[in-house]
Amino acid sequence: MIPDLGKYAFAVLASYGVGLGLLAVLVIASIARSRRVRAELEQIEERSKRPHG
Amino acid sequence: MSIWEYANPVKFIRTTDKVLPWISVGAVLCLVTGLVWGFFFTPDDFRQGSTVKIFYLHVPAAMMAINAWVMMLVASLVWIIRRHHVSALAARAAAPVGATFTIIALATGALWGQPMWGTWWAWDPRLTSFLVLFLFYLGYMALWAAIENDDTAADLTSILCLVGSVFAILSRYAVLFWNQGLHQGASLSLDKEENVADVFWYPALVCIAGFVLLFIALVFLRTQTEIRARRARALMARERQA
């Protein structure tokens, strides 16, 4: 399945591993923070709508 | 309709919510197609062997590392001139994305450089200016995090962005300015004679499209997050005062 990379296999596979790994971390971290902040804001807005006292 | 309508946070979130799924799907499709095409279905280069497959990650990441800073520069200028909060927050949102692309370019460049040049790193003009650009990304993000007042942070980071733009431009043209480095000149050119062979060019083009779409999708998502975080901070400050 994997093409014959010869003596450069480490360089090529490590590049794809590092590159795709960093992209995955970036995407997952962005989505996770987006969800967390959205939930926090909803909570704060809910709280601020309630009558005081 | 004017572009400045999108300076309204509610309008920005509503519009980007509509286009975000389409851009995200486009990014995934282009990245998967381009990388699978490049990795599995392109031949080895007659000089560089199979390391040419690193090209499909290295070049788009390096291009977008510089373009991300240029986008931040434009957004910073909009903030300085017109004081639209969304533009300052968009610049802030783009920084971690640009920084990640810069690390990918540096890491894949080192992994490619070792077998081709015999060294992981050299103080070559392009490599050095890219490292400085990465340090500017870190400084930019640290400055945003260090200042509590959003407007002051936006002012100071915008100035830092203007200064860092010198290195973003240097990163792109370093090979032309100083012709003594290890790094080759641009691989991609509109001149067919200078451009890489079509067999490498087409999958690279799809990968570049994927990186551009991924950048746009992430900046939209992260800008929405920054807008919401800013509103949350404002509401909490109001709560504390009440």
Side-chain angles (χ1 to χ4, degrees):
Chain A
M1 184 67 190
I2 291 182
D4 180 20
L5 302 170
K7 59 183 176 176
Y8 302 128
F10 170 75
V12 177
L13 294 177
S15 292
Y16 275 76
V18 170
L20 296 178
L22 284 169
L23 286 182
V25 168
L26 176 68
V27 170
I28 291 166
S30 301
I31 294 171
R33 179 156 184 261
S34 166
R35 286 184 180 166
R36 198 180 62 238
V37 170
R38 192 189 282 241
E40 276 171 14
L41 179 61
E42 276 170 13
Q43 220 173 22
I44 295 166
E45 281 180 331
E46 198 62 38
R47 207 162 57 212
S48 65
K49 274 182 204 157
R50 273 186 231 143
H52 292 289
Chain B
M1 199 178 83
S2 155
I3 192 172
W4 304 117
E5 280 180 31
Y6 298 98
N8 177 320
V10 176
K11 171 98 177 163
F12 179 88
I13 288 181
R14 209 174 286 153
T15 310
T16 50
D17 259 345
K18 279 183 205 154
V19 295
L20 198 49
W22 297 102
I23 298 173
S24 306
V25 169
V28 171
L29 280 178
C30 285
L31 279 175
V32 170
T33 308
L35 290 173
V36 168
W37 186 357
F39 189 86
F40 291 100
F41 303 107
T42 56
D44 290 353
D45 180 64
F46 76 103
R47 267 184 308 205
Q48 305 193 43
S50 62
T51 62
V52 73
K53 294 182 192 303
I54 299 172
F55 177 72
Y56 307 108
L57 271 173
H58 177 75
V59 172
M63 279 177 75
M64 288 314 295
I66 298 169
N67 291 340
W69 194 276
V70 173
M71 176 255 146
M72 287 161 59
L73 170 67
V74 173
S76 298
L77 287 172
V78 171
W79 164 253
I80 291 170
I81 297 164
R82 296 191 67 122
R83 313 300 284 178
H84 290 314
H85 286 108
V86 171
S87 66
L89 296 175
R92 181 181 192 177
V97 185
T100 307
F101 288 164
T102 314
I103 306 178
I104 293 173
L106 285 168
T108 52
L111 285 161
W112 200 354
Q114 210 287 326
M116 291 299 107
W117 300 334
T119 181
W120 301 95
W121 178 262
W123 294 102
D124 159 287
R126 178 166 280 186
L127 272 63
T128 308
S129 55
F130 238 87
L131 179 65
V132 176
L133 179 65
F134 177 62
L135 297 176
F136 262 98
Y137 270 119
L138 293 185
Y140 181 91
M141 290 187 287
L143 194 55
W144 261 110
I147 300 169
E148 211 168 303
N149 183 289
D150 280 349
D151 287 3
T152 311
D155 284 339
L156 295 178
T157 52
S158 296
I159 301 301
L160 183 68
C161 188
L162 292 181
V163 178
S165 301
V166 174
F167 286 93
I169 294 165
L170 274 183
S171 310
R172 176 154 289 167
Y173 297 108
V175 177
L176 302 177
F177 292 157
W178 299 282
N179 202 18
Q180 77 273 31
L182 280 174
H183 201 287
Q184 68 191 65
S187 307
L188 307 179
S189 168
L190 292 175
D191 183 346
K192 208 158 170 58
E193 293 277 302
E194 286 184 23
N195 200 21
V196 292
D198 286 352
V199 70
F200 304 122
W201 166 237
Y202 293 129
L205 206 58
V206 180
C207 288
I208 290 169
F211 268 79
V212 171
L213 290 172
L214 179 66
F215 174 74
I216 297 170
L218 286 172
V219 170
F220 279 175
L221 178 70
R222 296 181 71 94
T223 307
Q224 288 185 346
T225 306
E226 294 301 339
I227 290 170
R228 292 193 175 104
R230 187 174 186 276
R231 177 161 166 74
R233 285 194 295 276
L235 286 175
M236 279 167 70
R238 206 182 297 168
E239 266 180 16
R240 278 196 298 271
Q241 281 174 350

